[in-house]
Each structure stands twice: as C-alpha cells, then as structure tokens.
Amino acid sequence: MLRTHTCGDLRAAHLDQTVTLAGWVQNRRDHGGIIFIDLRDRAGITQITFDPDICGPAVHDLANKLRSEWVLQISGAVRSRGDKTNPNLATGAIEVFATALTVLNKAETPPFEIDEHAKVGEEVRLKYRFLDLRRPAMQRNLILRHQAVKLARDYFDANGFIEIETPILCKHTPGGARNYLVPSRVHPGSFYALAESPQLFKQLLMVSGYDRYVQIARCFRDEDLRQDRQPEFTQIDLEMSFIDMDDIMTIGEGLVRGLWKKLMNHELPPLRRMTYAEAMASYGSDKPDLRFAMPIVDLSDWAKDCGFSVFQSAVAATDRPSHAGRGVVRALNAKGANEQLSRRTLDQLTEFAKGLGAKGLAWIKVAAGAEGKLDWQGPAAKNISDAAREALRVRLDVAAGDVLFFGADVEKTVCSVLGALRVELGVNRLGLAKPNDWQFLWVHSAPLFEWSEEAQQFVAVHHPFTAPYAEDIDRIQTDRGHVRSKSYDMVLNGCEIGGGSIRIHDAETQGKVFAALGISAEDAQRKFGFLLHALSFGAPPHGGMAFGLDRLIMLMAGAESIRDVVAFPKTQRARDEMLDCPTPAGDRQLKELHLVTAAPIQAKA
RNA sequence: GGCCUGGUAGCUCAGUUGGUUAGAGCGCAGCCCUGUCACGGCUGAGGUCGUGGGUUCAAGUCCCAUCCAGGUCGCCA
C-alpha cells in the first residue's frame, strides 16, 4: 500500500500519528515560505503543510514545483489546526505536516479545473471524461448508483429472486424500438440484434420455472437521444410467476421504499394508485407530476351553451370516426398566477401549445373588479355569458388573481396540450414543484390497444404480450379501444421510472391479441414462434416490470440528465467524444462480415 | 427528419447601429509573499471569432450553406 489513510479519514483522533497519504494536487497556496497543498482522493481532501523548518529545504524545493493534478505520496505527522479549523472540510480540524514527498506522477495542465465551482460545457467534459469523473459531484453520482444497485440486489435476493443473465446478442423483434444490428461473420447476410430489453427471455424463464427472476440488464435502442435517453441504458428487470398486478406493485414499491429510506433518508408513504383513465382526464398525462395540484377539469357540457363559438363548435362536431376521440373543452386554473404571467408570457405559452398541436390557447386572466366582482380579461372572456362565467367560477374555483387556460379540440389533443401546459406552468413558470418532494404513484390499467393514425389500425400500447383484464377479453372483438390491460407504470415527479404488466400466458388469448393487432397466425409463428411454442408447454401465470435505473439515479442525485449518472455516455448524436466513436470499418472487417457500405466514407478532419 | 438555443483565449463568458489594435474573470508562466484554505500582490504569454461561401470600402457582428453541442417534437411496442 502506498498510503496508510485516505484523504478523507483523518480527524482530531489521529493527532500526532505519522501517516502516509496519496492523491492528486487539488490546490496549492504558496506563501513563499510555508506552502499548503490540498491533496484529493475520492474520499476527500486533506491539507498538507510544507513548513521549511520541518520538512527541510529539499522537500520544500520540490513542493515549490508542484502543480495541479500531480499525483503525490506524502508522509508526515497529523497536527491540530487549532483555531484555524476549516469548517468546509471533513478533515478541517487537522493538517499533515509533510516530512517526505514523492511525486508519483506529473500531469499536464487540465483543460478545466477539477472542482465543484468550475462551470464547464458538456462537450469538453465528455471529451475529457476521465477528468470530469474526478470531480466530486460525478464521483458522488457514480457511488450513489453503486449503492442503489447493491441495495437492489440485496432486496431482490432477500425476496427470493434469482439473478440470471440473458443474451445481449439476440434476434430482431418487429415493432418497438429500432434495433442495433450486429452482422454475423459465420452466417453471411444475417444479423443479430442487440437486446432492446430482456422481455422475451424473462418470460421464457418463467416457463422454465425460475419463478422470480431479476437482472441489472443493459438494453440497447437505436432511437434519437434525449436528456433521459441513451442508446444503451440499464434496467432493473424483474419477472414473477403465480402473481397478479398487486403483487408486482408491492415488490416494486418495496424497492423504492428501501432506496429512499437508506440512500435518501426519506420514508415513503404507500404509493398512490390511479387508473390511466383518471390520470389522462385529470392531468392530461400518463405520468402526472403530483408535486402540485392544478387539475384539469372537463367543461364539455358547460361549453355547449357558454356563448363562445370556438368552444361550442369544438364539442358539437359529431362526424368524426370514433377512434379519433370526441371533441372536448377542458381547462385548468393557475391559481394566483396573474402577476407572474405577463401578456408576453401568455403569448409564449400560446406558441408552446401550438407546438404541441393546439390550434390556439384560450386564456382568461381574472382580476378583482369593482364592487367585489371579478374582472374577466382576455380574448375568450368577452364572449362568455354571465351565467356561464358564474358556472366557471364554481367549477374551476376561480378567485381574483387566477389565470384560466382552455383546451378545445379532440380529446387526445386537449390532453396532451393541457397536460404539457400544466407541467410547463407548475414546474418551469410558477415554480410550484419544490425540491426534495417525492411524489410517487402507480398509473395502472392503460388501454391494451390504441388507434394509430400512421398505421391506420390498432397497435399495442405496451407490447403484444400484455394481458387484458379477463372481463374485457370479449371487447377485443367488439370495442377494441376500451380493452383495459393489466399494466402499471411507476411515476415519480412526472417522470416514468418503471413499468410493466401481467403477461398473456395462454396461446388462445395471445392469438386473439395478435389477430387484433393485424398479426396473422403465420406472422406470429415466424416472429414469435419460440414464445408461442414455449407458452404451449405449461406456462405459469406471470408478469413483471422494469425500472429505468439511469432515470432513477438521476432523480435521486438531482442530476439534470442521465449523462451525469452514466460513467461514459454518448452525445445527442450517439457519439462518444472521448473515443471518437463510431468509426468506419476497415475493408478487411467489412469483407469478413460480408458487408459493403453505401455511405460515402467521411474524410476525417 | 422538424423547431429552438448556443459555438469568440485552456475554461466560463462579454463584444453596442457593420468601423481603429477583439475584452473580462478564472486558469497558465515568471517574480514576490511563513497560516492560507476558490490565499494575496506585480508582470506576462495566450485568438483560424466552429467551417465554407456571399454582401460590403469594411464582417466576430448581416445573408446562405454546413458541422458540432444542448433542449424539444416526431420516434422510444
């Protein structure tokens, strides 16, 4: 060992001991005679003092040459700092008076400073990720991630789960995310797909009788990146047999309760449960942010006679095909937001709504008027009759200072516009979401199918192996849009952090669902034959879920992006800035893989 | 693929209506300084204004194209 202690260990209890530390030069303060070095390792920072009277001229001369990020080994005695204690350091009560100094390695001047204060752009951080990861904030995030994974493994082990690895090289499955493909050398013209999730394997493991499976599983999806999406990401993936929805939810809930208790020092109440229908109606979203109220209220019946033709015509239209959704008028009340929402801001919000597919955004600013009456302001306000205003006042709990927003369109559009507006207002404009407020809930029983305008047919909301409610099975033939699925998503502060379903375990139901999705028996055999085959050999009732580990850690760490909780993430165009990857393959590699590329080879700059 | 924001010194940024030699803070280098802790003082070096084209007497600034980073919509069963 090159050290006796870490840079975070030493306290007053170690006074007068001779110790050896190793680490990086965080900072150097040279007073001409006495020199201070802050020595850093991942455990913390310790002040090293080079006093020429104690360390001697040779060591002092060397200390004079030290620079940021050099790697040192120092030995010396632990001394009290007396009244010079630094309250900002865990080791602030002591310092080490060096008597020996070894430079283990020199360092180039880093492109950015390795400390908490330095603001650095992501492009540079990613290029020098190995330096970025030296920063305490990143080290905290990765250590938190380690602790969470460790707790998860312990939790599932204690609950009888078995961790089983499944293939990453597997078969392309139609539908769902675009797969990364890997060409086969030994099978010319054929490709593996990188697993987008272990979904089918874990169902097969249930057929095999493993009963309770868990895996910290790497998944791959070739889709465009986001703040919370990387091309490779990690799921805490689980599956159970002989259970129903409630059992999975109990297990999933236990995991986050344990994580929050042990790592966030926060006791979670039992998770609230809400049906998908309720979430969409009241919050316009399948992942409502419950850190603030601002519910969406349906005013479709009110709109018929309100006097405002835009609203009246929105609910009057009856000639639409049923799957397009009915016309509705809904509203939300930004209580007391009048002062904060200027005319300019309202214009921005209107643009925001249009960007989400709204034709416009009707709003009403409510101010205190004469004689204790309310003064209704805004383009929509003047057309609304007095009686309708009074009804609005009651139904939206309107008081002076409120701002009302209306959506009038087909239900789907109104939900997505008002749902997004609600979050924009609550989180970004009005600051109603407080830090360290953890609003978990389950959103369950989503529809099994939804109409796809693009495909002009019903498609699976979740995936085609999701089980319908038994009492809804007949509707697969008669009322496809209203078949409820045994599905559940765990939502935290408006972010979907996990989800799953009970699976279909009998071939007959599976056949009905495939048929409803327009998948013929032959297609089903070709694409999922292995699964159907397995289901015919005594598949137990089963179901499961998966947590998005990266998102979970991002929220726990208070990070802005999952890139801050992934050691080596990719950029928005799925590049690795540090490796300069991907790169063109060589002719020899391509030949071995029986490939020719159609893309022009980019000349490297 | 669409829309939005950004790209100026190693880093973070400013740069007016297009006008003389493009600035600041931090970092870096040298010198000074024996109790600092994001030490302090003095001096100094450091620029293909992302790239290519255009307009103009004159472009960091205006126009077009393009690349990169980020956000967002589509997409992510």
Side-chain angles (χ1 to χ4, degrees):
Chain A
M1 291 285 281
L2 299 185
R3 62 186 178 189
T4 59
H5 297 79
T6 72
C7 295
D9 281 341
L10 300 174
R11 297 290 185 275
H14 299 87
L15 287 186
D16 300 325
Q17 290 185 21
T18 296
V19 300
T20 301
L21 301 178
W24 288 264
V25 175
Q26 172 72 37
N27 193 0
R28 137 186 92 93
R29 295 177 293 278
D30 182 348
H31 287 252
I34 199 164
I35 297 171
F36 300 104
I37 293 284
D38 286 341
L39 196 67
R40 183 195 74 239
D41 62 20
R42 87 168 148 90
I45 288 176
T46 300
Q47 173 165 288
I48 312 300
T49 305
F50 295 90
D51 183 327
D53 299 333
I54 294 173
C55 68
V59 168
H60 188 261
D61 283 351
L62 185 52
N64 225 332
K65 296 188 174 67
L66 299 177
R67 292 295 180 270
S68 289
E69 301 305 315
W70 285 25
V71 187
L72 310 182
Q73 180 189 38
I74 69 98
S75 296
V78 179
R79 301 291 184 215
S80 169
R81 292 217 222 167
D83 59 359
K84 292 288 199 295
T85 289
N86 182 347
N88 299 320
L89 288 183
T91 61
I94 58 91
E95 61 192 326
V96 176
F97 273 76
T99 49
L101 165 62
T102 306
V103 174
L104 298 172
N105 212 341
K106 296 182 177 182
E108 300 280 328
T109 301
F112 50 84
E113 293 159 71
I114 314 295
D115 68 29
E116 301 273 17
H117 318 283
K119 282 198 307 175
V120 191
E122 264 201 285
E123 209 168 343
V124 183
R125 287 177 54 200
L126 290 179
K127 181 167 181 185
Y128 295 93
R129 190 60 158 179
F130 45 87
L131 296 180
D132 190 38
L133 293 178
R134 278 186 195 167
R135 295 165 55 228
M138 289 303 294
Q139 297 199 339
R140 274 199 301 275
N141 289 355
L142 294 185
I143 291 165
L144 176 69
R145 185 177 177 125
H146 155 76
Q147 290 169 330
V149 169
K150 164 94 167 65
L151 282 172
R153 284 204 160 100
D154 292 346
Y155 170 78
F156 286 109
D157 177 63
N159 281 282
F161 284 76
I162 297 165
E163 184 164 357
I164 302 173
E165 293 171 85
T166 55
I168 284 170
L169 289 174
C170 56
K171 183 178 175 173
H172 170 73
T173 49
R178 188 181 299 116
N179 289 131
Y180 279 98
L181 291 179
V182 179
S184 165
R185 175 180 55 83
V186 292
H187 300 281
S190 286
F191 295 80
Y192 303 95
L194 298 186
E196 61 187 76
S197 78
Q199 180 62 37
L200 295 169
F201 291 109
K202 66 178 179 176
Q203 289 192 241
L204 294 172
L205 287 169
M206 294 303 104
V207 176
S208 305
Y210 285 88
D211 201 63
R212 292 185 169 206
Y213 143 94
V214 70
Q215 183 180 194
I216 311 298
R218 190 61 68 86
C219 307
F220 305 86
R221 295 180 187 175
D222 187 4
E223 297 290 349
D224 285 348
L225 278 61
R226 288 283 192 283
Q227 194 173 29
D228 60 354
R229 297 205 315 233
Q230 281 276 304
E232 50 184 311
F233 61 99
T234 306
Q235 287 185 344
I236 303 175
D237 190 48
L238 61 120
E239 194 80 1
M240 304 169 77
S241 292
F242 308 117
I243 44 78
D244 211 334
M245 286 174 70
D246 202 51
D247 305 290
I248 307 273
M249 290 196 261
T250 301
I251 284 287
E253 205 165 320
L255 174 65
V256 294
R257 179 163 296 110
L259 291 176
W260 255 256
K261 184 186 171 86
K262 289 176 181 135
L263 299 178
M264 309 296 288
N265 194 27
H266 183 88
E267 201 78 45
L268 292 181
L271 266 60
R272 187 170 162 186
R273 294 186 186 186
M274 190 182 289
T275 64
Y276 176 92
E278 188 184 350
M280 292 305 290
S282 296
Y283 302 98
S285 169
D286 59 357
K287 45 183 182 187
D289 189 335
L290 297 185
R291 287 176 295 177
F292 54 95
M294 211 188 292
I296 294 168
V297 175
D298 189 90
L299 299 170
S300 300
D301 57 321
W302 168 89
K304 286 191 189 86
D305 306 308
C306 69
F308 186 32
S309 61
V310 172
F311 291 173
Q312 288 171 319
S313 61
V315 293
T318 54
D319 56 343
R320 297 191 189 91
S322 63
H323 50 65
R326 57 205 166 98
V328 299
V329 171
R330 289 179 187 172
L332 55 81
N333 182 356
K335 291 205 70 64
N338 202 333
E339 301 272 307
Q340 292 165 80
L341 299 176
S342 65
R343 182 59 200 258
R344 185 180 139 79
T345 305
L346 291 169
D347 287 343
Q348 288 172 358
L349 291 171
T350 302
E351 287 308 306
F352 176 82
K354 284 180 178 170
L356 293 162
K359 296 184 189 75
L361 181 66
W363 49 264
I364 296 177
K365 284 187 127 185
V366 182
E371 299 169 20
K373 289 186 175 172
L374 296 175
D375 181 23
W376 304 69
Q377 306 162 346
K382 53 176 158 297
N383 297 304
I384 295 173
S385 69
D386 286 346
R389 283 185 190 181
E390 175 56 21
L392 256 195
R393 188 188 65 75
V394 173
R395 292 173 70 164
L396 289 175
D397 185 28
V398 178
D402 293 355
V403 183
L404 316 178
F405 294 91
F406 297 82
D409 209 314
V410 294
E411 183 171 17
K412 191 177 175 187
T413 303
V414 171
C415 281
S416 62
V417 170
L418 289 185
L421 181 69
R422 179 179 170 274
V423 172
E424 175 68 14
L425 286 168
V427 177
N428 298 330
R429 303 282 181 171
L430 304 176
L432 301 179
K434 291 168 222 76
N436 296 315
D437 185 11
W438 307 109
Q439 293 296 330
F440 284 83
L441 75 154
W442 287 106
V443 175
H444 63 89
S445 307
L448 191 61
F449 308 109
E450 70 180 345
W451 179 259
S452 164
E453 283 298 327
E454 191 191 338
Q456 284 294 305
Q457 67 166 42
F458 279 94
V459 297
V461 170
H462 196 47
H463 58 57
F465 320 112
T466 303
Y469 273 66
E471 59 267 39
D472 289 1
I473 284 183
D474 290 343
R475 290 189 181 166
I476 294 175
Q477 300 303 324
T478 58
D479 186 12
R480 208 159 281 171
H482 289 95
V483 178
R484 290 167 301 160
S485 66
K486 291 191 170 182
S487 65
Y488 31 82
D489 286 345
M490 190 187 284
V491 176
L492 168 57
N493 295 354
C495 185
E496 182 194 324
I497 56 171
S501 63
I502 301 300
R503 327 297 181 188
I504 296 167
H505 68 276
D506 65 290
E508 189 192 340
T509 308
Q510 188 67 72
K512 286 181 184 171
V513 169
F514 279 150
L517 293 170
I519 301 172
S520 69
E522 299 77 54
D523 267 1
Q525 269 309 322
R526 191 162 44 81
K527 291 167 179 169
F528 308 111
F530 60 98
L531 178 69
L532 296 172
H533 200 204
L535 291 181
S536 71
F537 282 89
H542 64 285
M545 69 176 296
F547 288 91
L549 179 69
D550 311 276
R551 286 182 191 178
L552 201 60
I553 305 299
M554 174 180 83
L555 291 164
M556 293 173 81
E560 298 278 313
S561 152
I562 64 169
R563 294 187 297 277
D564 282 346
V565 298
V566 173
F568 299 103
K570 303 215 170 13
T571 69
Q572 197 165 56
R573 294 191 68 244
R575 271 179 41 79
D576 186 314
E577 293 284 324
M578 187 176 60
L579 301 179
D580 189 20
C581 155
T583 48
D587 290 341
R588 182 173 169 177
Q589 281 179 305
L590 289 173
K591 196 175 173 193
E592 274 183 344
L593 295 168
H594 321 286
L595 295 178
V596 290
T597 63
I601 302 299
Q602 300 281 326
K604 296 299 288 180

